[in-house]
Amino acid sequence: MKVALLTLFPDLVRQTLTMGVVGRAVERGQLQLHCFNPRDYTTDNYRTVDDRPFGGGPGMVMLIEPLMRALGAARSVLPNARVVSMSPQGRRFDQALAIEFSTRAEIIFVCGRYEGIDQRFVDTQIDEEVSLGDFVTSGGELPALTMIDAATRLMPGVLHTEQSALEDSFMDGVLDCPHYTRPPQHPLGDVPPILLSGNHAEIAKWRRQQSLGATWLRRPDLLAKLTLNKRDQTLLDAFIAAHRDKNGVQ
Ligand code: SAH
């Protein structure tokens, strides 16, 4: 995947993408990163990228022209990219969109700052607006980095074991199961014995049950979207019965 970011903070973006799983994907060339700073495409001595809003009010608005030129430069490197704007008003990012992004060859992310971007640029140059969630960050960089991270780890060959992404939360509509490592006994508690049993079929069943149970407890909205097969329903019913027993619910 090739991504370009239009950003006033290219160092923030580049530095973040040197670390961990995504950093390795950049090293291996699985993720190619290009940053275009609108400030490098200004024509005045002050390298101005923003101005006061028409109609008054607080804050500044990003100017059209530096963005247009930065976008032109990005398009010359990624000619087939869709242009995605970071915006709290956009479609909410989720795992389904991460999967979709991970299959795209090229994406240009436009990161706003200040009060946002002149609406004429948004109306004419942006293919889709995407939001990280119902809150406002001070710029589009952290939302874009989050989306790039989520998409990159889904690309074939990026994670050591592809299976690990498939078992993550949301991949099949349910939350992940709990994980434990050594030591098996600890003052904070013991590892569930089934995980030490070596019985792979029983372990898989336990994990599935924990996933379904966690989703039932924490995200009933996700569960409501699923049609459980008989096996899953039986596992969940047993989880619910045990949970009610433990908590004294009738
Ligand atoms: N005035 C705007 C917010 C501007 S915040 C409003 O209230 O809608 C500055 C920039 O941060 C935005 O242009 C956008 O690029 C980015 N941003 C803020 N919150 C975001 C979110 N939830 N998702 C994606 N980008 C966001």
Coordinates of all heavy atoms in Angstrom, one line a residue, residues 86-89 112-116 130-133 135-140 143, ligand 1:
M86 N -9.6 13.6 6.8 CA -9.9 13.3 8.2 C -10.8 14.4 8.7 O -10.6 15.6 8.6 CB -8.6 13.4 9.0 CG -7.5 12.4 8.7 SD -8.1 10.8 9.0 CE -8.4 10.2 7.4
S87 N -12.0 13.9 9.2 CA -13.0 14.9 9.7 C -13.9 14.3 10.7 O -14.4 13.1 10.5 CB -13.8 15.3 8.4 OG -15.0 16.0 8.9
P88 N -14.2 15.0 11.8 CA -15.1 14.4 12.7 C -16.5 14.3 12.1 O -17.4 13.6 12.7 CB -15.1 15.4 13.9 CG -14.4 16.6 13.4 CD -13.6 16.3 12.2
Q89 N -16.7 14.9 11.0 CA -18.1 14.8 10.3 C -18.2 13.6 9.4 O -19.2 13.5 8.7 CB -18.4 16.1 9.6 CG -18.3 17.3 10.6 CD -18.5 18.6 9.9 OE1 -19.1 18.7 8.8 NE2 -18.1 19.7 10.6
G112 N -6.4 17.8 8.5 CA -6.7 19.2 8.8 C -6.1 19.6 10.1 O -5.6 18.8 10.9
R113 N -6.0 20.9 10.3 CA -5.5 21.5 11.6 C -6.4 22.7 11.8 O -7.3 23.1 11.0 CB -4.1 22.0 11.5 CG -3.1 20.8 11.7 CD -2.7 20.6 13.2 NE -2.3 19.3 13.4 CZ -1.9 18.8 14.6 NH1 -2.0 19.6 15.7 NH2 -1.6 17.6 14.8
Y114 N -6.2 23.4 12.9 CA -7.0 24.6 13.3 C -8.5 24.3 13.3 O -8.9 23.2 13.7 CB -6.7 25.8 12.3 CG -5.2 25.9 12.0 CD1 -4.7 25.7 10.7 CD2 -4.3 26.2 13.0 CE1 -3.4 25.8 10.4 CE2 -2.9 26.3 12.7 CZ -2.5 26.1 11.4 OH -1.2 26.2 11.2
E115 N -9.3 25.2 12.8 CA -10.8 24.9 12.7 C -11.1 23.9 11.6 O -12.3 23.5 11.5 CB -11.6 26.2 12.5 CG -11.7 27.1 13.8 CD -12.2 26.3 15.0 OE1 -13.2 25.5 14.8 OE2 -11.6 26.4 16.0
G116 N -10.2 23.7 10.7 CA -10.5 22.8 9.6 C -10.0 23.4 8.3 O -9.3 24.4 8.3
V130 N -13.6 10.7 6.6 CA -13.6 9.6 7.6 C -13.3 10.2 8.9 O -12.4 11.0 9.1 CB -12.6 8.5 7.2 CG1 -12.7 7.4 8.2 CG2 -12.9 8.0 5.8
S131 N -14.0 9.7 9.9 CA -13.9 10.2 11.3 C -13.3 9.0 12.2 O -13.7 7.9 12.0 CB -15.2 10.6 11.9 OG -15.1 10.8 13.3
L132 N -12.5 9.3 13.1 CA -12.0 8.3 14.0 C -13.1 8.0 15.1 O -13.1 7.0 15.7 CB -10.7 8.7 14.7 CG -9.9 7.7 15.4 CD1 -9.6 6.5 14.5 CD2 -8.7 8.2 16.0
G133 N -13.9 9.0 15.4 CA -15.0 8.8 16.4 C -15.6 10.1 16.8 O -15.2 11.2 16.3
F135 N -15.4 12.6 18.7 CA -14.6 13.5 19.5 C -13.8 14.3 18.6 O -13.7 14.0 17.4 CB -13.8 12.7 20.5 CG -13.0 11.6 19.9 CD1 -11.8 11.8 19.2 CD2 -13.5 10.3 20.0 CE1 -11.2 10.8 18.5 CE2 -12.8 9.2 19.3 CZ -11.6 9.5 18.6
V136 N -13.2 15.4 19.1 CA -12.4 16.3 18.2 C -11.0 16.3 18.7 O -10.7 16.6 19.8 CB -13.0 17.7 18.2 CG1 -12.1 18.6 17.4 CG2 -14.4 17.7 17.7
T137 N -10.1 15.9 17.8 CA -8.6 16.0 18.0 C -8.1 17.3 17.4 O -8.8 18.0 16.7 CB -7.9 14.8 17.4 OG1 -8.1 14.8 16.0 CG2 -8.3 13.5 18.0
S138 N -6.9 17.7 17.8 CA -6.4 19.0 17.3 C -5.9 18.9 15.9 O -5.6 20.0 15.3 CB -5.4 19.6 18.2 OG -4.4 18.6 18.5
G139 N -5.8 17.8 15.3 CA -5.4 17.6 13.9 C -5.7 16.3 13.4 O -6.1 15.4 14.1
G140 N -5.6 16.1 12.0 CA -6.0 14.9 11.4 C -4.9 13.8 11.4 O -5.1 12.7 11.0
P143 N -5.6 10.7 13.9 CA -6.6 9.8 13.3 C -6.1 9.1 12.1 O -6.3 7.9 11.9 CB -7.7 10.8 13.0 CG -7.6 11.9 14.0 CD -6.1 12.0 14.2
Ligands
SAH1 N1 -14.0 22.5 13.6 C1 -14.0 21.1 13.3 C2 -12.9 20.4 14.1 C3 -11.5 20.8 13.6 S1 -10.3 19.9 14.4 C4 -15.3 20.5 13.8 O1 -15.8 20.9 14.8 O2 -15.8 19.6 13.1 C5 -8.9 20.0 13.3 C6 -8.7 18.9 12.4 O3 -8.5 17.7 13.1 C7 -9.9 18.5 11.5 O4 -9.9 19.3 10.3 C8 -9.7 17.1 11.2 O5 -8.7 16.9 10.1 C9 -9.0 16.6 12.4 N2 -10.0 15.8 13.3 C10 -10.5 16.3 14.5 N3 -11.3 15.3 15.0 C11 -11.2 14.3 14.2 C12 -11.9 13.0 14.2 N4 -12.7 12.6 15.2 N5 -11.6 12.2 13.2 C13 -10.8 12.5 12.2 N6 -10.2 13.7 12.1 C14 -10.4 14.6 13.1

